[in-house]
Amino acid sequence: MTIRERAAEFSRVREGKELRAGSHIWRYSLAGQGETVLLLPGGAGIGIGWLDLVLALYPRYRTIAVDYPTTASSFDELADGVLAVLGAENVQRMHVVGQSAGGMLAEVLSRRIPDRIRTMALSGAGLYGSEDVPRLERKLVAIQSAPWEETRTATAKALRAAWQDAEEADFWIEQVDAAYRADGALGLINSYRALIGIARRSEQLMRERPRQGPVLLLKADDDPLITEAHTQRLIGMHPGCEIRTFPTGGHSLLIGRTQDYIAAVAEFLAQHGEPATWR
């Protein structure tokens, strides 16, 4: 199937829901049944980015793919909202899959509910540190001061570079730009505010006791956004984690190496899931 056909199939199998949590409106998609897999997207915050993994896991797993509200400006606010979604759906235990900033959110969430997370699978992920704060602050100022159309064009160019001109990059850039058209600059501004906050907090996060349990780290050698320092912070918090490295794939292996990514995550879930799931 083409990417647009797969997107149509995703729309068919998903159930869209909406929830108010505090001052934020959360939108999310449910699909399938069985063990719950919570899907945390990257900084663009669009749950449709998980469509290929959702279809691969459907109907064996119950997936929850969240959209981040553009009004949330910190990872604590995002974690609060995710917990509200889990509460609304009566989820007691879950696997967590995070991409990019979604991996950082998984770390924050795991400090809140360590005993409820079965496994974590993280890709294109690391942990920003104090060295990233000046760069992120400059980018935030640039976004706030530049014309919004100019920022959208620059963002599309940056996404294409991050995704290494993947075959289906045009579709994904369209999805991100559609969200930006709908919500304006606020979502991107608050995304950078959240990243600055987590970068300033990284040392504290590393001192806190991480959850104990299986962790899979998927990375590409040509990821232009995650540095070795970012990766090592993540590994330092999970010294026994399983690491799979691909020579190519860019920042998003789900986009750049779709089948390899799906195979790795599905194998990991099968290895660490409840036996009843696979009867």
Side-chain angles (χ1 to χ4, degrees):
M1 289 192 291
T2 67
I3 182 60
R4 297 188 188 281
E5 290 170 337
R6 302 198 307 275
E9 180 66 6
F10 171 73
S11 295
R12 186 187 71 80
V13 304
R14 68 180 280 272
E15 176 188 4
K17 289 201 170 186
E18 187 173 288
L19 172 74
R20 175 174 287 277
S23 60
H24 309 298
I25 300 296
W26 280 78
R27 296 179 178 85
Y28 59 99
S29 299
L30 303 177
Q33 52 194 317
E35 291 182 71
T36 297
V37 181
L38 173 65
L39 304 173
L40 303 176
I46 52 174
I48 193 176
W50 294 109
L51 71 87
D52 282 312
L53 185 60
V54 168
L55 293 177
L57 298 181
Y58 180 85
R60 183 168 289 175
Y61 290 93
R62 180 194 190 203
T63 55
I64 302 178
V66 301
D67 293 337
Y68 300 147
T70 58
T71 48
S73 60
S74 74
F75 279 88
D76 284 328
E77 287 181 295
L78 292 174
D80 290 342
V82 170
L83 288 173
V85 169
L86 295 175
E89 298 302 328
N90 298 311
V91 177
Q92 297 304 312
R93 298 200 72 200
M94 76 232 65
H95 304 276
V96 179
V97 181
Q99 160 63 24
S100 188
M104 300 184 205
L105 177 55
E107 290 295 338
V108 173
L109 189 65
S110 73
R111 268 54 171 191
R112 302 271 197 97
I113 52 168
D115 296 333
R116 293 173 61 187
I117 296 177
R118 296 181 185 276
T119 68
M120 296 198 305
L122 312 177
S123 61
L127 181 61
Y128 283 175
S130 58
E131 77 279 6
D132 295 292
V133 172
R135 171 181 61 83
L136 295 169
E137 288 181 333
R138 288 194 300 271
K139 185 66 175 178
L140 177 58
V141 170
I143 293 168
Q144 291 172 318
S145 59
W148 179 229
E149 292 302 315
E150 181 181 311
T151 298
R152 283 175 51 201
T153 300
T155 299
K157 183 178 179 180
L159 288 173
R160 190 176 299 282
W163 293 334
Q164 301 292 301
D165 289 319
E167 183 179 349
E168 296 170 342
D170 285 343
F171 172 84
W172 294 113
I173 290 170
E174 286 176 16
Q175 304 310 305
V176 174
D177 192 58
Y180 287 166
R181 287 200 310 273
D183 299 320
L186 181 63
L188 189 58
I189 288 170
N190 279 337
S191 177
Y192 272 92
R193 286 172 174 161
L195 291 173
I196 291 167
I198 200 73
R200 287 174 172 160
R201 176 184 169 184
S202 61
E203 290 187 7
Q204 173 194 338
L205 203 62
M206 292 181 69
R207 286 194 299 268
E208 296 172 357
R209 178 178 169 82
R211 65 167 284 281
Q212 304 299 303
V215 176
L216 172 65
L217 177 59
L218 299 168
K219 58 192 291 288
D221 284 334
D222 63 349
D223 186 333
L225 301 183
I226 298 299
T227 68
E228 186 62 22
H230 300 153
T231 301
Q232 288 304 315
R233 288 191 188 100
L234 200 60
I235 293 172
M237 292 187 290
H238 305 287
C241 68
E242 178 183 351
I243 303 172
R244 297 195 186 186
T245 303
F246 297 90
T248 60
H251 186 54
S252 175
L253 288 164
L254 183 53
I255 293 176
R257 301 181 72 104
T258 305
Q259 295 308 314
D260 289 333
Y261 176 90
I262 289 172
V265 172
E267 179 184 344
F268 180 70
L269 294 176
Q271 181 180 356
H272 299 288
E274 290 182 345
T277 301
W278 295 91
R279 289 175 186 166

